[in-house]
Amino acid sequence: MTFVAEDDVWVAPRAGGRAWRLSSLQLPARNPRFSPDGQNLAWSVVQGSAPEAVTSAVDGGGFRRL
């Protein structure tokens, strides 16, 4: 499961348990979505008035702006 809190993207197990922060861009995150294989997440951030797309592996390891 994924959700946005404190302007960051978080991931948590569906069965319950501890959630972990996936992003820390210090920009408002919106609309996180899993890739079809469940290995990656994509979301948008807003910097100024222009939205940007961001992606990251679910297990962490950094993110990249598209």
Side-chain angles (χ1 to χ4, degrees), residues 37-61:
D37 65 4
Q39 299 298 308
N40 296 292
L41 273 173
W43 65 93
S44 61
V45 296
V46 178
Q47 185 170 15
S49 62
E52 296 183 31
V54 179
T55 185
S56 176
V58 172
D59 60 4

Side-chain angles (χ1 to χ4, degrees), residues 3-16:
F3 58 93
V4 173
E6 301 175 358
D7 286 333
D8 289 318
V9 175
W10 293 72
V11 179
R14 287 179 71 183

Side-chain angles (χ1 to χ4, degrees), residues 16-45:
R18 184 178 177 276
W20 64 94
R21 187 186 315 248
L22 192 62
S23 71
S24 59
L25 296 173
Q26 298 178 348
L27 296 169
R30 305 279 187 264
N31 306 313
R33 299 288 187 264
F34 284 99
S35 62
D37 65 4
Q39 299 298 308
N40 296 292
L41 273 173
W43 65 93
S44 61
V45 296

